[in-house]
Amino acid sequence: MASAQRLLFPDSRPLVERLGRDFFLNLPSAPGVYFMRDASGTVVYVGKAKSLRKRLNSYRVANPDRLPKRQLRMLGLVVQVDWEIQESEQAALAREAALLRELKPRFNRAGTWAGPRPSLAWRYGEGELWLGLRETPDVGWEMPGSEVRRTAGLRLPLARLLWWASHPGLDISALPVGWFHGMVPPEASIPCGGALPLIVENLLPLKVGDLAPLCSWIQRQLGALDRLAPFERAAVEADLEFLAEWKPGGGRVSGQSETSVA
């Protein structure tokens, strides 16, 4: 009887109602990972996709006869969906595994058990800074102490912001290919020139979870953002907001900062 009654009414589409039809129409076809967030901004689910457009469009209809109750409950909570573009499906799978260990989203099951957690790490030399991820300190690399958790998500916004701060007179055309859309190499190389000593100095407090000195230096370097095009300025401001909101005990990974923002 219940199934017959449902035929009289269309299945609910909570994500379409909250995100709008244009959201699904404008999704990229590239491989990547995606983040589903609740009203508080907490990531409740992380997934990977060979095609973000195809995978995320599969969530448009919340059919109670086809979807598990757990997934229906999740769709009822989600108010925001972000994504990261990856170079390949294999890269998306590896990124998903790291995010599951890092975030342990409420509605993920497989892959969320305890394990080594990668942390932001950096090394430098001859006017150049490298940002990467490490599970344990390696020779030549520096990283926050073990008590400073969830720093992996800082890598992308920091890489972009430090590049902008080191080249304040340049525009997006000079930004390394792919960085604006979240495709930053596992070990991002940033030519800093004469700014390197100040960057290294301001990175030191991050070892104990303090990003304030680095954020202040970046903002001073950037100064007025009016010289940038509106979409460039919005991207920089989103990355700055991410850093300002990050907390050493459980900072969030910002889908907007690590996603396509074009």
Side-chain angles (χ1 to χ4, degrees):
M1 178 64 71
S3 297
Q5 288 177 337
R6 289 193 193 113
L7 293 176
L8 301 176
F9 304 97
D11 291 320
S12 64
R13 301 190 174 201
L15 292 191
V16 176
E17 293 171 4
R18 297 179 194 131
L19 305 178
R21 294 180 182 275
D22 287 347
F23 172 85
F24 293 94
L25 293 174
N26 295 322
L27 288 167
S29 298
V33 295
Y34 56 93
F35 308 82
M36 293 191 167
R37 301 178 185 275
D38 63 16
S40 70
T42 301
V43 176
V44 297
Y45 186 81
V46 171
K48 68 93 180 172
K50 183 177 181 180
S51 167
L52 286 165
R53 173 176 293 182
K54 184 176 180 179
R55 183 70 182 100
L56 288 174
N57 268 279
S58 71
Y59 291 105
R60 288 172 62 108
V61 178
N63 187 315
D65 292 326
R66 297 180 181 177
L67 298 181
K69 291 182 179 179
R70 182 180 179 85
Q71 187 168 332
L72 291 172
R73 290 199 304 272
M74 179 189 75
L75 293 178
L77 293 174
V78 173
V79 300
Q80 180 182 342
V81 180
D82 305 312
W83 66 88
E84 293 179 14
I85 293 176
Q86 298 292 321
E87 295 179 354
S88 64
E89 186 178 11
Q90 291 73 23
L93 181 63
R95 178 66 174 142
E96 178 196 37
L99 287 168
L100 290 179
R101 292 193 299 267
E102 173 75 12
L103 296 174
K104 298 188 183 301
R106 172 182 172 185
F107 286 94
N108 284 97
R109 287 177 174 169
T112 60
W113 51 84
R117 292 184 175 181
S119 170
L120 175 74
W122 60 91
R123 65 182 178 90
Y124 51 89
E126 298 183 358
E128 195 164 12
L129 178 79
W130 289 266
L131 294 178
L133 297 177
R134 291 291 185 275
E135 293 181 354
T136 56
D138 289 340
V139 176
W141 288 85
E142 300 184 33
M143 57 194 300
S146 59
E147 71 281 359
V148 182
R149 299 181 296 122
R150 297 190 176 182
T151 61
L154 293 173
R155 185 182 66 91
L156 175 54
L158 265 184
R160 287 194 293 225
L161 286 172
L162 289 175
W163 187 93
W164 286 109
S166 299
H167 308 84
L170 300 181
D171 60 22
I172 193 174
S173 64
L175 192 70
V177 175
W179 282 32
F180 187 74
H181 297 287
M183 293 183 288
V184 173
E187 293 184 7
S189 172
I190 308 166
C192 304
L196 182 61
L198 283 173
I199 292 175
V200 172
E201 178 183 344
N202 286 294
L203 274 171
L204 287 177
L206 180 54
K207 290 188 174 184
V208 293
D210 184 5
L211 259 177
L214 187 61
C215 286
S216 297
W217 179 81
I218 290 172
Q219 289 175 326
R220 288 195 301 272
Q221 285 290 104
L222 292 175
L225 298 177
D226 294 341
R227 64 178 180 80
L228 298 175
F231 73 96
E232 294 175 302
R233 185 167 63 250
V236 173
E237 289 173 345
D239 284 344
L240 283 169
E241 181 182 357
F242 176 87
L243 262 62
E245 293 180 356
W246 178 81
K247 297 179 181 178
R252 64 184 180 87
V253 173
S254 168
Q256 186 66 23
S257 287
E258 295 214 8
T259 65
S260 168
V261 291

